[in-house]
Amino acid sequence: MKILNILSIASLLTVAAACGGGNSGGANAGDGTGGSGGGGAAPPQITIVSPSVVMSDVYVGSVDITGTGFTSTSQVLLDGSPVQTIPGTSTTTEGTLPGGLSLGVHQISVQNGSQVSNRLPYTYYYPAPAPNGLFNAIGGYYAGPESGNTYAVVGDFNGDGRDDVIIQGPGTGTEPTVELLFGQADGTLSPPQYLTNVAGSVAGDIDGNGTVDLVAISMGSSGGVGCSVYLNNGKASFTPGPACPYISAGDAIMWKLVDMNDDGLPDLLVSTLATNGIYLLLNQGGKFANPQLLATPGTNQTFAIADWNDDGRPDIAYNAVGTGGTEEVHFLLNQGNGRFQDTMTTGLLGMTGTLIAADFNVDGVPDLAIEYVPPPGNFELVVSIFLGQGNNAFVSGSETTFYPAPFATYQFVVGDFDHDGFPDLVGQNADGQPSFLLYLWGDGHGNIAPVQIFGPRSFNLEVGDINGDGLPDIVAPDEFNEISVALGQKGRNVPSPVLLGPAIGPYVTTADVNGDGLPDILIGESVFLNQGNESFAAPAFSSPYGFAIADLNHDGLADLVGGTGNEVWVWPGTGDPSFPGSPLSYTPPIQFNFSDLQIFDMDKDGYPDLLSDGLILYSDSEYNFTPLKVPFIGPFVVGDFNGDGYLDIATNAETFLGGPNRTFTQIPNLLGLPDGVYFAVGDFDGDSTLDIATSDGTIWYGDGQGNFYQQGIFTADAPAGGIVVADFNGDGLPDIALGLQTAQQIAVFINNGKGGFERSFYASGAATYGMTSADFNRDGKADLVVCNFVSLVATPNALVIFGK
């Protein structure tokens, strides 16, 4: 299925004009060199190397070479050296590029005997990060191929005063691999570096030399817990340290590095499942002693650490099993030298759950937050704050209930994220959609104000100072190796998409429904009226048979278009977003495939027309349709590909060039559009002809005559569920946004006008399955709408991501 494209010819021509005048891609120009003559025959000539510009995330593979004078013995050369060649015809041949190709600009040529053709460039590059802050959403960063890991480790590994991020990599054979992204002064993360034979689960100065080392927690095949130490030389270079003792029971649930015996070295605390144990491994000068079982918790193995009795030593709060078999919170009061006294608390009202320690009322005495799920059937989650009184006593503070309960508990982290002097909590809703960070803003009196910040998807959060400004930042990794970073700030204006719901996609279109000059949104049967202040009214519900909104009769009010295939229906716009009344009906001469519906003014009469496989329905001011059968089938793309002012239709192998009087000229092309991809048009190489970008990461460059050749590859290293082309950074060049289906991110590719792209990511909150763009707040910036993939665990939703 293809996303609907709603675009008038006027706006299409505006895009083409704005994108003209740029630099053409380097792959179209030779360097003028030729080989020596031989036997009087003309040397071979190259006109196209396809693709010629490729991101390093893409497997290099083969390149198709088009030109003249090739023979069955022609040899493809890479930087003057032979590569595996697959003979073709006198005008085509293919070369296989070697794996491990170095980044940079290479040269492709073809040799016949002693004669060598001209050379064309082949650019293999890592995309630089695009400018930060293009959208009002939390930025994301690509950390490499998917590893399935959801943990990140944060620390200043290179000693520059900014925290860095390490995430597990895909591994190389039997060796562990991590991806290291350095924190930068602007709050972004650097491109990843790949470190082999290194792993990490938590960071700390294990050997006391002032550098941040790694400890990796591993699960044994027999159900135990192991760990490994990797020592840092201060420049983010790690070597294996002493082996850790083995905990011969359970899987690790939680782990922390804390100096529990006041010797200046962090000790390792691990809680395990199955045996339900909390273990302490004391640090003995860079290596850990044998595990010491401190306590046997109940069903919730989380623990919290603070100096609960004000003796200067960190103590442990945990969920114990009482004498009657019920669970209750106990303290392990630190006696020094690895000894602890198990003590009950008072004032917690018998509550247990996930434990979080912080001084919420800023009185110098640590408080305790308990996150718990009430008895079965309530489908909610509660966070209760108890204010510490000293001597293991508490009094009730605030209580906040969240409904519905998230996919998993929020796993809150603590920090002053708004710089007001009071501790806040931030958690995540795990695998839910829309995905969000839950901020619980503290007021210094033990009360919290919850705010959902839509975007990042994560199971575990970390805190660090990525930009070195002294404010704590949130690091949220997902299992697809995207890392979102929510920067701490002075205030609570955390960037977030705007949630629309309920909505059912994936068909999403925009038009002015009520005539106020603002684009509104149709998703499924939900119509969202634009309020003009970056908000939308609650949805009105139109017919479930509607597919798109467009102003067919040019009266300033969008009409609703839909039907059943055997009939095309139009609900004339009245300004009412529910589109009441019976629709006008038209029976097309052939079956009308609404899943391939596109709406364009094909004959330049000012009234948009309807296109589907093999059929154009020309519309007029009275909603009358005149059918024209044209032998095209989906997938198809509409654009003025030969620059004559009439819209054309491009399909696999054929282009139908539009002309006056609703005529078309059919010509062959080399276009390849796999079924199921999404596509959009733009002049990506600045030659004033329209090109086609597809959601599988391919750019087909137009030749100005209706033909296309593959000349570039870009990728987000993840399947896409939508594509939009717009000028996101205001430089006059068309850029590309992909909505990712798995990672809940938008990948944005900023066009450099030379065939390459800078790349950035933004947390969208939705596993995209439907996407479009409009300027909803009329600020001159393109905004995005993404619809999610509806499943058993994901309710329908959509979000608007405003451009900045």
Side-chain angles (χ1 to χ4, degrees):
M1 292 183 181
K2 273 65 68 179
I3 194 168
L4 295 173
N5 294 301
I6 306 294
L7 186 64
S8 70
I9 188 168
S11 62
L12 178 66
L13 295 177
T14 300
V15 171
C19 299
N23 296 322
S24 61
N28 292 319
D31 60 6
T33 63
S36 59
Q45 292 292 318
I46 300 178
T47 58
I48 295 172
V49 175
S50 177
S52 69
V53 181
V54 176
M55 286 187 179
S56 58
D57 302 333
V58 179
Y59 173 68
V60 175
S62 62
V63 292
D64 295 321
I65 302 168
T66 302
T68 59
F70 305 149
T71 71
S72 61
T73 60
S74 291
Q75 174 66 58
V76 176
L77 306 179
L78 174 68
D79 299 327
S81 298
V83 298
Q84 182 180 350
T85 302
I86 301 175
T89 68
S90 62
T91 59
T92 62
T93 188
E94 181 179 326
T96 301
L97 303 186
L101 186 68
S102 61
L103 300 181
V105 180
H106 301 269
Q107 300 294 324
I108 301 288
S109 56
V110 175
Q111 181 174 357
N112 290 348
S114 62
Q115 295 181 324
V116 180
S117 73
N118 60 311
R119 296 180 296 174
L120 290 183
Y122 178 88
T123 302
Y124 190 52
Y125 73 104
Y126 188 90
N132 195 26
L134 294 175
F135 291 93
N136 193 39
I138 292 173
Y141 303 92
Y142 175 72
E146 177 184 339
S147 67
N149 182 50
T150 61
Y151 295 95
V153 185
V154 176
D156 183 6
F157 299 113
N158 61 352
D160 64 355
R162 298 186 292 269
D163 280 331
D164 315 306
V165 179
I166 282 178
I167 191 169
Q168 180 180 317
T172 56
T174 59
E175 292 183 348
T177 304
V178 298
E179 292 144 4
L180 169 63
L181 296 86
F182 290 112
Q184 303 183 113
D186 62 357
T188 62
L189 295 177
S190 71
Q193 296 186 16
Y194 297 87
L195 308 180
T196 59
N197 201 27
V198 180
S201 304
V202 64
D205 184 7
I206 303 302
D207 54 3
N209 68 347
T211 65
V212 182
D213 309 308
L214 293 171
V215 176
I217 305 296
S218 59
M219 312 302 173
S221 58
S222 60
V225 179
C227 75
S228 303
V229 175
Y230 298 90
L231 300 175
N232 184 3
N233 68 355
K235 300 179 181 179
S237 178
F238 298 89
T239 56
C244 295
Y246 190 70
I247 302 174
S248 58
D251 291 334
I253 296 297
M254 186 177 185
W255 48 83
K256 291 181 179 291
L257 281 173
V258 182
D259 183 7
M260 300 299 293
N261 59 355
D262 199 27
D263 63 355
L265 297 174
D267 308 303
L268 180 62
L269 284 161
V270 179
S271 66
T272 63
L273 186 62
T275 57
N276 292 12
I278 298 177
Y279 295 86
L280 171 65
L281 287 76
L282 290 173
N283 190 334
Q284 298 180 324
K287 64 178 181 179
F288 292 106
N290 290 328
Q292 173 187 351
L293 179 62
L294 300 183
T296 302
T299 56
N300 190 314
Q301 295 85 15
T302 63
F303 57 87
I305 297 177
D307 182 8
W308 303 104
N309 58 356
D310 197 29
D311 64 355
R313 291 188 292 261
D315 309 307
I316 303 170
Y318 77 102
N319 297 283
V321 179
T323 54
T326 59
E327 295 189 12
E328 56 195 21
V329 175
H330 282 202
F331 283 152
L332 294 173
L333 298 180
N334 193 340
Q335 307 297 297
N337 297 320
R339 296 178 296 109
F340 295 84
Q341 178 185 350
D342 195 308
T343 305
M344 291 187 62
T345 64
T346 61
L348 297 183
L349 306 179
M351 294 184 185
T352 61
T354 300
L355 307 177
I356 308 108
D359 185 4
F360 293 105
N361 59 353
V362 201
D363 64 354
V365 179
D367 310 311
L368 188 66
I370 302 179
E371 176 189 6
Y372 67 96
V373 176
N378 290 349
F379 304 108
E380 59 189 22
L381 183 143
V382 178
V383 174
S384 293
I385 292 179
F386 296 91
L387 302 177
Q389 305 297 297
N391 298 320
N392 312 329
F394 293 86
V395 296
S396 295
S398 65
E399 181 176 282
T400 306
T401 300
F402 303 95
Y403 181 89
F407 179 79
T409 54
Y410 282 107
Q411 305 295 327
F412 288 103
V413 293
V414 180
D416 181 8
F417 300 109
D418 56 357
H419 198 58
D420 64 356
F422 311 132
D424 313 303
L425 298 177
V426 179
Q428 38 64 41
N429 69 332
D431 204 26
Q433 284 197 61
S435 56
F436 59 83
L437 297 181
L438 178 62
Y439 279 74
L440 303 183
W441 299 111
D443 67 351
H445 300 286
N447 303 304
I448 55 176
V451 174
Q452 291 179 350
I453 301 298
F454 296 100
R457 177 190 191 186
S458 187
F459 286 84
N460 292 275
L461 304 181
E462 295 291 335
V463 178
D465 185 2
I466 300 300
N467 55 0
D469 64 354
L471 302 178
D473 309 315
I474 297 292
V475 176
D478 65 29
E479 70 266 44
F480 304 103
N481 277 26
E482 307 287 345
I483 302 172
S484 298
V485 176
L487 295 175
Q489 55 192 303
K490 297 178 180 179
R492 298 179 179 180
N493 189 27
V494 184
S496 174
V498 174
L499 179 65
L500 305 177
I504 297 177
Y507 302 110
V508 49
T509 57
T510 67
D512 184 2
V513 171
N514 58 353
D516 62 357
L518 298 172
D520 308 304
I521 302 172
L522 170 70
I523 304 171
E525 60 187 272
S526 300
V527 178
F528 299 90
L529 291 181
N530 189 346
Q531 303 298 286
N533 56 357
E534 298 193 357
S535 68
F536 294 82
F541 296 99
S542 60
S543 170
Y545 295 100
F547 276 80
I549 48 175
D551 185 4
L552 297 185
N553 66 343
H554 210 336
D555 66 350
L557 299 174
D559 311 301
L560 178 64
V561 180
T564 63
N566 295 320
E567 289 187 316
V568 174
W569 296 336
V570 176
W571 289 262
T574 63
D576 187 331
S578 64
F579 293 95
S582 299
L584 303 175
S585 178
Y586 170 77
T587 301
I590 61 175
Q591 187 82 7
F592 197 88
N593 184 2
F594 280 99
S595 65
D596 280 340
L597 170 66
Q598 299 190 43
I599 303 179
F600 291 94
D601 182 5
M602 300 298 294
D603 55 359
K604 302 201 299 183
D605 66 351
Y607 302 106
D609 310 307
L610 311 184
L611 291 82
S612 187
D613 294 345
L615 185 64
I616 301 175
L617 299 181
Y618 290 98
S619 180
D620 64 14
S621 61
E622 301 297 328
Y623 306 108
N624 297 308
F625 292 112
T626 301
L628 177 66
K629 294 181 182 180
V630 182
F632 66 90
I633 59 173
F636 64 92
V637 187
V638 176
D640 182 9
F641 298 116
N642 61 352
D644 66 352
Y646 291 93
L647 291 178
D648 313 309
I649 303 170
T651 69
N652 287 319
E654 293 178 313
T655 300
F656 298 83
L657 298 175
N661 302 316
R662 300 178 177 176
T663 59
F664 290 88
T665 302
Q666 185 174 346
I667 66 170
N669 68 34
L670 300 175
L671 183 63
L673 295 176
D675 194 23
V677 302
Y678 300 79
F679 38 77
V681 299
D683 178 13
F684 299 109
D685 57 356
D687 64 354
S688 299
T689 62
L690 288 179
D691 313 308
I692 300 172
T694 63
S695 60
D696 63 354
T698 304
I699 296 180
W700 295 89
Y701 282 79
D703 67 353
Q705 304 299 318
N707 202 355
F708 303 87
Y709 53 93
Q710 182 183 340
Q711 197 70 354
I713 292 180
F714 64 99
T715 181
D717 198 30
I723 185 170
V724 164
V725 169
D727 179 10
F728 296 120
N729 64 339
D731 64 355
L733 297 173
D735 309 309
I736 300 172
L738 291 181
L740 305 186
Q741 283 186 348
T742 49
Q744 286 161 216
Q745 300 271 342
I746 297 293
V748 179
F749 300 86
I750 298 301
N751 187 357
N752 67 5
K754 300 177 182 179
F757 295 88
E758 297 175 335
R759 181 179 63 187
S760 59
F761 293 83
Y762 294 87
S764 66
T768 305
Y769 193 58
M771 180 178 179
T772 193
S773 177
D775 183 5
F776 294 107
N777 56 358
R778 294 301 192 219
D779 65 352
K781 305 293 185 182
D783 311 313
L784 301 174
V785 184
V786 294
C787 305
N788 76 316
F789 182 83
V790 180
S791 66
L792 292 177
V793 297
T795 58
N797 65 84
L799 300 103
V800 179
I801 306 171
F802 284 94
K804 293 174 61 177

